[in-house]
Amino acid sequence: MIALGYTMVYGVLQLINFAHSEVFMVGTFAGLYALKAMASGPEGGIVLAGVVGTAMLAAMGASALTALGLERIAYRPLRNRGAPRLSYLISAIGASLFLQNLLFVLTPIGGPAPRPYPNVMVRRTAFTVLGYSVSNQQLLIVATMIAMYLALDRFVMASHTGRGIRAVAEDPETAGMMGVNIKRIVVVTFLVGGLMAGAAGSLYGIYFGQARFDIGFIPGIKAFTAAVLGGIGNIRGALLGGLLLGLLENLGVTCIRSDWQDVIAFLVLVAVLMFRPSGLLGEAVRG
Amino acid sequence: MNISGRAASVGAWIREHRGWATIVVVAALLVLVLVPLRLSPYSQSVLVDMLQYALLALGLNVVVGFAGLLDLGYVAFYAIGNYAFAIVTAGTFSKALYFGAGTHLPPVPVWHDWMWLLLLVGLVAAMVAGVVLGAPTLRLRGDYLAIVTLGFGEIVRIAARNFDSITVGPRGITSIPHPELHLFGLHYSFGLDPRPYYYLLLVLCALMIGVVTRLNRSRIGRAWVAIREDELAAAAMGVPTVRMKLWAFAIGASTAGVAGVVNASRVNFVSPDGFTLLTSIFILSMVVLGGMGNVWGAIVGAAVIVVVPEVIRSAVPSFQQYRFLVFGAVLVIVMIFRPQGLIPSRRRAMELESADAIL
């Protein structure tokens, strides 16, 4: 799901948003505090659905705001000047470092130690398939992912703005001449990317039970790998890439030691970039 | 515009007043040589840190500033230099070979006589790593390269953590010997005193400045400019782009390797925790702040970024934890308001102010 956010922003700007992992991290924290505000212990039924849903919405809102702020502060001045690619990358890294350490320094909210998530949704086995048990949390994640994916796919493929996004991705100059408001499209793209990251962040928090200032880094890299694997800028590709990467990692760990798990993502990334740089399903926002 | 004008007038001034310029340079050298003698050991070690980072920034400047390749895993080459020296001198490698891991033996004394050769070993090891990483990845576009190098940096760190038998894992390698000098019957042991390292690094930095300025004006340097400005056009004009980018990578990497060897021999200890992404960004912010593509910019950047936080910290002790917050903000602010850095390279400033637009 983070991969979806990457893919969106990349497709439109032809740029890797290095600060995307921090947008995700902000989402995790926002989800945490929203949950804390509403519930203290395990909940069930309708209440649970409401609480988790609201927390996810709060996380999405916070992440979207962060993404918009990023666009406004770290990207737009450069774009207005027509700066070279290198400037964007450096600016994004700076912003990423800044956000990370902001959460590190603000001890009432973040701080160096991980913040535990309230145990609202107790993990238990929902059902068993072929001897593998699927927990209720995993079910939630998969369900949300599918819903998000469908919504995003519809948005990009069918809506007016979505058509604008695809046009800008393909050829910004021509799109601009045809009357597409590029500035607005870029903002919307960051917004959507932020929403996705926020949802992913809160789910990540619920599943792994904690939030920390540097939590965004590894998921960020992995999501990027997933996006590249599927074909960056391609929404279906991102979904496929995410699934494949998850599989590869888990298979890889059974073959070698688990210390190396994070290395697998990198190796996959390098291999894909070398042998099939356009990814499995090809580049460009196609859907 | 006014920047390039100013730079030009400095150049003209130097040409007109050659005598004065020489005096200024000699005076600056004297200050550099004499200053550490008057300082407290603490300030001396800050200065040594500064020079060491200046060396690293000079190397990264070749990659980022000259060739325009964003390398986010630069620390990996530094780590390789560190570990190359540590593994050989502390004998973990030979121990692993002959006695199995964890055997406790004193450091191999024979290496003391070969210490200076190990500077070359670190250099070559890092250079080889640079070429191995660069050969497949330098064909990629800029932002992919950034993320692959970032991944490489992490892989090296994780490898150092996991190859217990050779790198002693997360505990790190201790008991690395200090360098010794046996030259024309003169025997000198470096020990813990920061001063000899200061002079060693001063010489290395001066050497590097000489090499880099010459390179920049050479055929390779011009090829780098061409690649940076328009890779497609450069390739069309017959510039072997991948080979030229590999050169930039190899030179940057070997510089980091040398800096790594000096570091390992100075602090006597290496562990994987010293080589995180943050260190890469730390060095990158020196290059960016100082001015990409400018040799003196890299030095000034290193000086500002190492010394200023130390000064602030001595006044406000809690500053330490805000350091990276400030660095992040500095990177963004510099990119927005002064992309050419404190001391701009004339050519680079023109590019950064009005280059081809992305949108």
Side-chain angles (χ1 to χ4, degrees):
Chain A
M1 196 134 53
I2 317 170
L4 288 182
Y6 261 116
T7 265
M8 284 294 288
V9 173
Y10 184 89
V12 170
L13 290 178
Q14 298 288 303
L15 256 185
I16 296 171
N17 184 1
F18 267 105
H20 198 67
S21 49
E22 268 49 64
V23 174
F24 168 85
M25 182 267 296
V26 168
T28 320
F29 271 99
L32 192 160
Y33 287 103
L35 274 184
K36 256 198 180 154
M38 286 180 293
S40 49
E43 301 276 359
I46 285 292
V47 186
L48 174 68
V51 166
V52 170
T54 324
M56 210 182 287
L57 283 180
M60 287 166 76
S63 287
L65 277 181
T66 315
L68 288 185
L70 269 175
E71 197 271 337
R72 186 74 193 77
I73 293 167
Y75 284 95
R76 195 177 300 173
L78 297 177
R79 201 170 57 242
N80 288 343
R81 199 178 62 219
R85 191 183 291 276
L86 190 63
S87 306
Y88 284 83
L89 292 173
I90 293 172
S91 168
I93 291 166
S96 166
L97 191 64
F98 179 81
L99 280 175
Q100 231 185 64
N101 282 279
L102 193 64
L103 263 292
F104 177 80
V105 172
L106 290 175
T107 32
I109 306 175
R115 294 270 167 157
Y117 252 66
N119 193 10
V120 175
M121 190 173 182
V122 183
R123 190 183 304 190
R124 57 166 180 267
T125 309
F127 56 83
T128 318
V129 193
L130 304 170
Y132 294 98
S133 57
V134 177
S135 74
N136 53 346
Q137 293 180 344
Q138 285 163 332
L139 203 63
L140 172 74
I141 291 174
V142 172
T144 318
M145 195 180 70
I146 292 172
M148 284 282 179
Y149 164 69
L150 287 178
L152 187 62
D153 196 44
R154 281 299 88 199
F155 172 69
V156 173
M157 295 311 291
S159 76
H160 185 74
T161 317
R163 198 154 358 123
I165 291 179
R166 279 181 294 146
V168 173
E170 202 145 298
D171 186 344
E173 228 165 280
T174 317
M177 276 191 276
M178 296 297 179
V180 177
N181 185 345
I182 297 183
K183 207 178 249 181
R184 200 179 72 93
I185 293 293
V186 172
V187 171
V188 169
T189 313
F190 267 87
L191 182 80
V192 173
L195 288 175
M196 293 288 156
S202 56
L203 287 175
Y204 187 91
I206 290 173
Y207 190 70
F208 291 101
Q210 57 179 10
R212 215 176 102 117
F213 73 100
D214 58 356
I215 206 169
F217 180 63
I218 291 290
I221 293 282
K222 286 185 183 164
F224 179 76
T225 310
V228 171
L229 184 62
I232 197 150
N234 180 325
I235 295 170
R236 271 174 209 160
L239 194 66
L240 180 73
L243 292 176
L244 267 181
L245 183 65
L247 270 177
L248 278 176
E249 271 196 352
N250 287 310
L251 282 177
V253 169
T254 54
C255 301
I256 49 175
R257 282 162 52 196
S258 62
D259 307 347
W260 296 87
Q261 187 179 4
D262 293 338
V263 174
I264 294 172
F266 291 128
L267 291 181
V268 169
L269 178 65
V270 174
V272 172
L273 285 176
M274 276 169 62
F275 297 114
R276 193 170 163 75
S278 58
L280 295 175
L281 295 186
E283 270 192 48
V285 178
R286 237 177 272 135
Chain B
M1 179 59 214
N2 56 347
I3 294 147
S4 53
R6 227 185 299 152
S9 66
V10 171
W13 185 86
I14 290 174
R15 269 191 298 282
E16 279 165 32
H17 308 267
R18 203 162 272 275
W20 279 107
T22 320
I23 291 175
V24 169
V25 169
V26 170
L29 276 180
L30 268 179
V31 168
L32 278 175
V33 171
L34 294 179
V35 144
L37 299 177
R38 309 279 313 157
L39 291 171
S40 68
Y42 169 72
S43 309
Q44 284 171 359
S45 64
V46 171
L47 276 185
V48 173
D49 270 345
M50 185 194 94
L51 280 183
Q52 193 176 306
Y53 277 112
L55 192 59
L56 285 167
L58 278 172
L60 185 63
N61 186 37
V62 172
V63 182
V64 178
F66 291 165
L69 307 164
L70 185 55
D71 181 353
L72 290 178
Y74 191 61
V75 74
F77 305 123
Y78 179 55
I80 287 169
N82 269 291
Y83 269 103
F85 186 79
I87 286 167
V88 174
T89 53
T92 49
F93 187 59
S94 44
K95 270 187 242 170
L97 273 185
Y98 297 116
F99 304 101
T103 321
H104 220 76
L105 278 180
V108 187
V110 68
W111 288 111
H112 282 238
D113 303 327
W114 295 92
M115 199 133 285
W116 301 97
L117 209 63
L118 290 180
L119 216 54
L120 280 180
V121 171
L123 185 148
V124 170
M127 193 185 240
V128 167
V131 173
V132 165
L133 170 69
T137 54
L138 282 174
R139 286 161 220 280
L140 304 170
R141 267 233 322 273
D143 29 8
Y144 284 125
L145 180 74
I147 208 134
V148 172
T149 50
L150 187 153
F152 180 71
E154 284 298 298
I155 288 178
V156 167
R157 191 170 62 86
I158 295 173
R161 188 188 286 279
N162 287 342
F163 279 126
D164 284 2
S165 52
I166 297 176
T167 62
V168 205
R171 278 179 299 137
I173 300 177
T174 51
S175 73
I176 301 165
H178 285 295
E180 281 167 26
L181 199 60
H182 304 284
L183 204 63
F184 309 122
L186 182 83
H187 296 283
Y188 183 72
S189 184
F190 273 47
L192 281 168
D193 186 2
R195 275 170 298 180
Y197 298 99
Y198 176 86
Y199 293 117
L200 174 64
L201 282 164
L202 201 62
V203 170
L204 287 173
C205 277
L207 210 67
M208 187 64 193
I209 292 172
V211 169
V212 164
T213 42
R214 253 144 239 277
L215 262 179
N216 198 25
R217 283 192 226 116
S218 74
R219 192 184 171 79
I220 299 181
R222 289 196 303 274
W224 284 337
V225 175
I227 292 170
R228 197 172 67 203
E229 289 189 351
D230 190 338
E231 191 168 343
L232 213 60
M237 299 311 272
V239 176
T241 51
V242 173
R243 202 193 318 159
M244 287 301 161
K245 288 198 277 185
L246 263 183
W247 269 113
F249 236 60
I251 292 166
S254 48
T255 314
V258 170
V261 170
V262 176
N263 182 65
S265 71
R266 179 164 69 99
V267 297
N268 311 109
F269 172 68
V270 294
S271 84
D273 297 332
F275 312 111
T276 57
L277 174 65
L278 277 181
T279 319
S280 286
I281 298 182
F282 193 59
I283 304 166
L284 178 70
S285 43
M286 292 168 194
V287 176
V288 170
L289 180 70
M292 281 181 286
N294 188 309
V295 173
W296 303 105
I299 305 233
V300 170
V304 170
I305 284 191
V306 174
V307 176
V308 170
E310 286 298 331
V311 172
I312 299 179
R313 196 172 65 136
S314 58
V316 191
S318 66
F319 177 71
Q320 191 67 7
Q321 58 172 340
Y322 296 96
R323 240 174 3 143
F324 285 108
L325 188 77
V326 174
F327 288 157
V330 163
L331 281 178
V332 178
I333 291 168
V334 169
M335 274 302 114
I336 294 174
F337 296 109
R338 202 177 162 80
Q340 66 274 36
L342 290 177
I343 304 185
S345 123
R346 216 184 314 166
R347 188 171 224 153
R348 206 75 166 92
M350 291 188 312
E351 285 168 39
L352 287 166
E353 293 218 322
S354 64
D356 54 318
I358 288 182
L359 271 184

